[in-house]
Amino acid sequence: MTFPQLLSILRARYKVILLTLLIAVVATAAVSFTLPRIYRTSTTLLLNYKGTDPVSGRVLPAQLVSGYVATQVDIVGSRGVALKAVDMLGLADSPVTQQRFRQVANGKGSIREWLADSLQKMVDVTPSRESSMIEITAKGSDPAFTAQAANAIAAAYQQMNLQIKVEPLRQAATYFTQQTTTLRAALEQAEEKMSRYQQEHGLVSADGHLDVETARLNELSSQLVLAQGQGAEASSRGSQAMGSGGRDSPDVISNVLVQNLKASLAAAEGKFALLSQNLDRNHPQYQAAKAEVDQLRSELNNSISATNAGAANNARIQRQREGAIRAALTAQTAKVLQLNRARDELAVLAKDVESAQHAYDAAAQRLSQTELEGQSNQSDVSVLSPATVPTRPASPNIPLNMVLSLLFGSMLGLALAVLAELTNRRVRTGSDLLNVLDAPVLGTIVWRKPARRIAFPQLFLSR
């Protein structure tokens, strides 16, 4: 079928096309004005996700954050949020709603569940593709209630989101409270154990006390070395004093009294030798000189004996002093070793106390943080644009429906015209006659509309 043939068919059957178009437009207009008005409005929410663990406080991996928006979309459309919205709107207490529930459900079931199902059917939740935004769209026949429903769903979701965030924090606070009590008891037990150990061993400041005792040990070691040297020297002098009469001992040689007596004795002996050559034994001068020599020799021997005895006594005293210093050194060494052991044990107890203190401080800090966050009433969801009461219905869209009815009626009219032509084929052009008779066309008669007189047909011959 060529385009001129199609045009001839449309001109011939324009009534069918116009009738079909008229029927389509009238039907569409009737249906559009008959259908109930559906209003649509939406609330836009912004999600601020922290992604922290309520117990450890660590930031969760990014793999868990990616599914957060999808999870929140499911929460918004959940029955729990719808039930909260029903309670916030007070729909279950409305007499009109109760009467409608009795008519629809015959009083069976829960009116809150029925209203929650109705709200879920009214609301459509759509997440943004590349952002953390959620759009809550509500549609219904009442524009004011539609806006209230969308805003109520958003407010209920904020409460649910806050409850989901706060509830784990409160549970974590309860857990940390128990742990803090246990750790405080462990800290007190460790401190009591260390204090009792200090009292048992007499340790006030273990490090300072140990420094004093170590200094005393070093002093005793120095005194022992000095006493050993002095004892060895005293023993040597004592041995020399006891051997060969002790007249050549260092103490005797260094004694001034002994040296003076030796000098006096030598002078007296010289005088006595001179007198013994000139005088008889019974001469008074002889007797006096002899008596002087004997007295000086006796004094010299007594001084030498006393000096040697003093050296022997000094050696004995030095040995006793060395023994006393050695015993004190041994006792001080044992004391220092005991203090070392006590210090090591006290250091272990101090580390236990320090570890218990750190654990208690960390738990107390986390307890304070979780308690503060658990008492928060700020949700991570922000309402960017609340739903407003729509002024125009979203459906039916009468202008769009009319345009679509014109397009559909025109296409349907064309289709019916072509179908009618195919069922009752007519010869309308020369090409149609050529197709039917399979013979050449000599000419066509064009009928013109007469103006004032009767029009006679004119014959046009075609070549």
Side-chain angles (χ1 to χ4, degrees):
M1 181 180 295
T2 61
F3 186 72
Q5 292 177 345
L6 179 61
L7 291 179
S8 63
I9 294 173
L10 296 180
R11 284 196 300 268
R13 300 187 180 273
Y14 70 93
K15 294 182 179 181
V16 175
I17 299 174
L18 293 177
L19 180 61
T20 304
L21 179 60
L22 180 61
I23 293 174
V25 172
V26 171
T28 303
V31 172
S32 298
F33 285 102
T34 304
L35 289 176
R37 300 294 184 267
I38 302 299
Y39 296 89
R40 185 188 303 268
T41 184
S42 61
T43 300
T44 304
L45 303 178
L46 175 63
L47 306 180
N48 298 320
Y49 180 53
K50 296 180 180 179
T52 56
D53 188 0
V55 177
S56 63
R58 295 179 299 178
V59 179
L60 297 179
Q63 292 81 0
L64 299 179
V65 180
S66 59
Y68 176 73
V69 176
T71 303
Q72 299 307 307
V73 170
D74 294 338
I75 294 176
V76 174
S78 64
R79 181 179 294 272
V81 173
L83 290 173
K84 283 184 175 293
V86 169
D87 296 335
M88 293 176 63
L89 293 174
L91 298 177
D93 300 330
S94 175
V96 178
T97 306
Q98 293 177 358
Q99 182 179 2
R100 184 179 178 186
F101 172 70
R102 286 191 295 268
Q103 294 176 354
V104 174
N106 295 325
K108 297 180 181 180
S110 173
I111 186 172
R112 292 178 68 251
E113 297 290 339
W114 178 72
L115 291 171
D117 292 337
S118 300
L119 281 181
Q120 285 182 309
K121 294 177 181 178
M122 287 179 58
V123 174
D124 185 17
V125 184
T126 306
S128 179
R129 293 183 178 180
E130 299 179 356
S131 64
S132 300
M133 296 178 61
I134 295 178
E135 185 177 6
I136 302 175
T137 303
K139 55 184 179 179
S141 58
D142 187 356
F145 179 75
T146 302
Q148 292 177 1
N151 292 326
I153 289 292
Y157 167 65
Q158 284 183 315
Q159 293 183 2
M160 180 68 72
N161 180 270
L162 181 61
Q163 179 180 354
I164 292 174
K165 182 186 73 171
V166 171
E167 189 64 27
L169 293 173
R170 292 177 178 173
Q171 295 178 0
T174 303
Y175 168 76
F176 280 120
T177 301
Q178 298 175 355
Q179 293 298 317
T180 302
T181 303
T182 304
L183 292 174
R184 184 188 294 112
L187 176 60
E188 293 176 353
Q189 182 178 2
E191 290 177 345
E192 181 182 358
K193 186 176 180 181
M194 186 177 71
S195 177
R196 185 171 61 251
Y197 184 83
Q198 287 179 334
Q199 293 176 1
E200 291 176 355
H201 292 80
L203 298 175
V204 179
S205 178
D207 294 337
H209 193 192
L210 184 62
D211 292 340
V212 173
E213 298 298 335
T214 303
R216 185 176 299 174
L217 178 63
N218 295 331
E219 181 66 22
L220 287 175
S221 298
S222 301
Q223 291 180 6
L224 179 60
V225 173
L226 181 61
Q228 287 176 347
Q230 293 177 354
E233 182 181 359
S235 298
S236 177
R237 288 181 178 181
S239 298
Q240 292 180 2
M242 297 300 296
S244 66
R247 292 184 176 274
D248 296 330
S249 65
D251 292 327
V252 172
I253 295 174
S254 60
N255 195 325
V256 178
L257 179 59
V258 173
Q259 298 301 324
N260 290 333
L261 288 175
K262 284 184 177 182
S264 298
L265 179 60
E269 287 179 347
K271 182 179 178 181
F272 177 71
L274 182 60
L275 291 175
S276 63
Q277 293 177 1
N278 298 323
L279 299 175
D280 189 53
R281 293 181 178 181
N282 294 323
H283 193 276
Q285 293 181 355
Y286 181 86
Q287 293 292 331
K290 183 178 179 182
E292 183 181 2
V293 170
D294 293 336
Q295 183 180 0
L296 290 174
R297 184 177 289 112
S298 176
E299 291 179 359
L300 177 61
N301 292 330
N302 291 332
S303 296
I304 292 174
S305 298
T307 301
N308 290 330
N313 290 332
N314 186 27
R316 184 174 61 255
I317 291 172
Q318 290 294 333
R319 286 193 295 271
Q320 292 178 355
R321 182 171 178 270
E322 179 183 352
I325 294 175
R326 188 181 300 277
L329 179 62
T330 302
Q332 186 66 23
T333 302
K335 187 175 182 180
V336 170
L337 292 176
Q338 183 179 2
L339 285 176
N340 282 329
R341 289 192 295 270
R343 183 193 64 177
D344 295 338
E345 295 179 1
L346 185 61
V348 174
L349 295 177
K351 288 183 179 179
D352 293 341
V353 172
E354 184 179 0
S355 299
Q357 184 69 45
H358 289 168
Y360 172 73
D361 292 340
Q365 183 179 2
R366 289 292 300 147
L367 174 61
S368 300
Q369 182 178 357
T370 51
E371 284 182 345
L372 289 176
E373 293 181 357
Q375 296 174 359
S376 175
N377 56 358
Q378 300 296 327
S379 175
D380 293 337
V381 180
S382 302
V383 178
L384 292 182
S385 57
T388 58
V389 179
T391 57
R392 295 181 180 180
S395 65
N397 192 344
I398 297 177
L400 179 61
N401 291 343
M402 297 306 296
V403 172
L404 293 178
S405 66
L406 289 174
L407 294 177
F408 177 75
S410 300
M411 294 176 61
L412 182 60
L414 293 175
L416 291 177
V418 173
L419 181 62
E421 184 67 23
L422 293 178
T423 55
N424 187 9
R425 192 74 174 92
R426 302 267 182 103
V427 176
R428 302 186 183 279
T429 61
S431 59
D432 293 339
L433 185 61
L434 180 62
N435 293 331
V436 172
L437 299 179
D438 194 15
V441 178
L442 301 178
T444 58
I445 300 175
V446 178
W447 294 94
R448 299 183 183 275
K449 185 177 179 181
R452 293 183 178 180
R453 54 187 180 86
I454 298 175
F456 294 97
Q458 298 178 2
L459 181 61
F460 295 92
L461 299 177
S462 59
R463 297 179 181 178

